[in-house]
Amino acid sequence: MPLDRFLLASNGFAHHLRAVPPDGWDAPTPCTAWDVRALVNHMTRGNLNYIGLLRGATREEFLSARDADALGDDPVAAFAESVRACAAAFAEAGALDRVVDYPLGKLTGRRTLAVRTTDSTVHTWDLARALGADDTLDPGLVEWIDESYDDIFAGLALNSRVFADPPACAPGASRQDRLLTRFGRDPR
């Protein structure tokens, strides 16, 4: 089930990635420091870095490789390959129980995969917004992240883009909008 959620989130991102027009790679995203190409690189490099964590990489190694280009000349293929390799690494015997040196704290592989799935889901919205596409996230993923948030992020040193106590949402905001607000997005 944890791997299925990761693949579902990754497929949502890939759906939008395949729709990036040739002149769309430098379009801005809701992550103001990144254009579309940088966002896609973050996702692709992130998948590769999570494999490194499972194989014993340190948080320092994870962080030092975070911005290295992982896209080459074919970002769509690079992302697809990174998802396949990341899923294979998490599917290895014992991977979900292994403790890794994640940058925000020591985590089991299971929690690391939950963080990766959450990141993939939120960044799917970022990519959809950058492309002006339908930004509706998979409702099952939104529900799972919302209900599991405390378990996923318990004890981690959260940053300014992830809020333990989310800012107030507009009255009647959807579950997706509340979740996005919790991750520093403005869903309006």
Side-chain angles (χ1 to χ4, degrees):
M1 186 70 147
L3 198 50
D4 292 340
R5 283 190 293 264
F6 167 72
L7 292 171
L8 181 61
S10 297
N11 287 338
F13 190 86
H15 168 77
H16 292 297
L17 175 57
R18 289 188 296 272
V20 176
D23 63 348
W25 293 100
D26 60 353
T29 72
C31 300
T32 57
W34 296 332
D35 61 14
V36 167
R37 183 176 175 86
L39 173 64
V40 174
N41 191 66
H42 168 75
M43 291 297 297
T44 305
R45 173 54 56 197
N47 288 335
L48 300 174
N49 286 350
Y50 277 71
I51 296 167
L53 288 175
L54 287 172
R55 300 213 167 113
T58 65
R59 67 183 305 258
E60 290 79 14
E61 291 168 322
F62 180 100
L63 293 171
S64 70
R66 185 170 47 188
D67 295 324
D69 181 58
L71 300 181
D73 295 332
D74 191 345
V76 175
F79 176 75
E81 176 56 25
S82 77
V83 169
R84 186 205 60 72
C86 189
F90 277 104
E92 290 173 3
L96 295 179
D97 297 318
R98 195 170 302 141
V99 175
V100 302
D101 190 21
Y102 187 71
L104 301 178
K106 300 279 187 183
L107 293 179
T108 63
R110 183 175 311 281
R111 278 187 66 201
T112 304
L113 182 57
V115 170
R116 186 73 199 134
T117 300
T118 300
D119 195 47
S120 298
T121 302
V122 173
H123 285 315
T124 296
W125 182 86
D126 293 331
L127 182 56
R129 273 289 169 108
L131 299 174
D134 179 3
D135 61 15
T136 304
L137 297 171
D138 180 274
L141 286 172
V142 170
E143 178 181 354
W144 170 75
I145 295 167
D146 187 42
E147 291 177 359
S148 304
Y149 182 90
D150 291 337
D151 293 331
I152 295 169
F153 294 100
L156 297 182
L158 301 179
N159 62 37
S160 63
R161 298 282 291 176
V162 181
F163 300 96
D165 296 314
C169 287
S174 69
R175 190 174 218 173
Q176 175 174 308
D177 287 354
R178 289 190 312 270
L179 182 72
L180 290 166
T181 300
R182 176 169 241 166
F183 284 91
R185 288 2 184 231
D186 182 359
R188 290 177 285 149

